[in-house]
Every structure is written in C-alpha cells, then in structure tokens.
Amino acid sequence: FHVRPAPPPAAPKPHVRTLAAWNANSLIQRIQCNRPDLDRFLREHSPDVVFISEVRSPALGPAGCKKGDGQRRQQDKLSRASHSLASEADAIARFVREHGYRAYWSLAEYKYAGTGLLVKAACEQPHALRHSLDPDAAAATHQTEGRVILASFERFDLLGTYTPN
C-alpha cells in the first residue's frame, strides 16, 4: 500500500495589470470580418482584461422564447436557440479560448446591447460580479439590456458600462 503525498498548493495567479475597453458593435461581426486585426491586437498588447461593450448576442432563454415574451433569460450565457445562434456562440467561445481568456457576459434578451468581460485564464479571476447599478438588487440581477458588469478583483473593482450617445 503506497500513499502519495498531496501535491504542493498551486501558486496564486498573477494580479491583473493591463486593461482594454472596446465597443465591438457586434462581437460576432468583428470576429467574422476583422479577425486578423483582433488577433494582432490581442497578441501585441496582451491585455489581462478586455471589457467589451455592444456585444449584440442574445442571452440564453427557454426553448421557443421570443423577444418581449417576458420569459426569464440566463443573461450570463450566449443563446443557442437556433442553428445560426449556436454557430455564433461556438465561434465566440472558440475565439475567447484560443486567446487564453475566460468570458463573463451580461446580455440582453435579443441581439442588442450586451457587455462582456474577458479575463486571461492565467490571471486572477473576479471574486465577485454584479450586473446592475441598483444597490438593492440581488447580486445575480442583470440590467435588462446587459449594459453593466462590475467585477471585483483582489486589488480593484472594474465597472464596465455600455451607454450609447
């Protein structure tokens, strides 16, 4: 009978040091139409965190849900309600993964507004997230159009908002 010693504790992940903010005006369109530019920017600048406004991907909802039907959505997940939306969600997930990020979303019920926060997987992750500026709202409550992400890291809080002109 042989007992292996427990592995040493993992080293803490490095703190976030570099940030970028970007209005994508449809993340899937930028991935499909401007992929070389995005790849070059992320490779050359390598931001630890990227806040993305105007993601324009709908939130995951129950089967058959329609815009304005009042059905509750999972605003932190990309919709896969149709073949095209599933394909877009896969392309976005692949892009995020290929660049070594983890994604946090706050999305609207349809292709409108929405925000995302990409955090390098090798860096510390937010220890708390809020998606509303209403101090009385539950932490899991999202602003209806997905316009807010408040991420708390060990050394700072990052408030990302999408506010049109």
Side-chain angles (χ1 to χ4, degrees), residues 54-58 107-114 145 147 162 164:
E54 208 170 1
V55 172
R56 290 193 180 187
S57 290
L107 305 167
E109 71 175 57
Y110 59 102
K111 281 190 161 191
Y112 181 74
E145 294 176 347
R147 293 178 180 272
Y162 168 50

Side-chain angles (χ1 to χ4, degrees), residues 132-149:
S132 171
L133 296 178
D134 179 352
D136 298 324
T141 301
H142 287 249
Q143 191 277 336
T144 57
E145 294 176 347
R147 293 178 180 272
V148 175
I149 295 180

Side-chain angles (χ1 to χ4, degrees), residues 80-145:
R80 304 181 66 77
S82 67
H83 177 72
S84 64
L85 287 174
S87 178
E88 289 176 8
D90 289 343
I92 291 170
R94 194 169 35 257
F95 173 80
V96 169
R97 189 175 49 254
E98 287 172 1
H99 285 284
Y101 288 93
R102 179 167 177 204
Y104 301 91
W105 306 110
S106 186
L107 305 167
E109 71 175 57
Y110 59 102
K111 281 190 161 191
Y112 181 74
T115 54
L117 189 67
L118 307 183
V119 181
K120 276 190 183 173
C123 284
E124 68 168 311
Q125 299 299 302
H127 61 81
L129 289 168
R130 290 189 62 87
H131 301 94
S132 171
L133 296 178
D134 179 352
D136 298 324
T141 301
H142 287 249
Q143 191 277 336
T144 57
E145 294 176 347

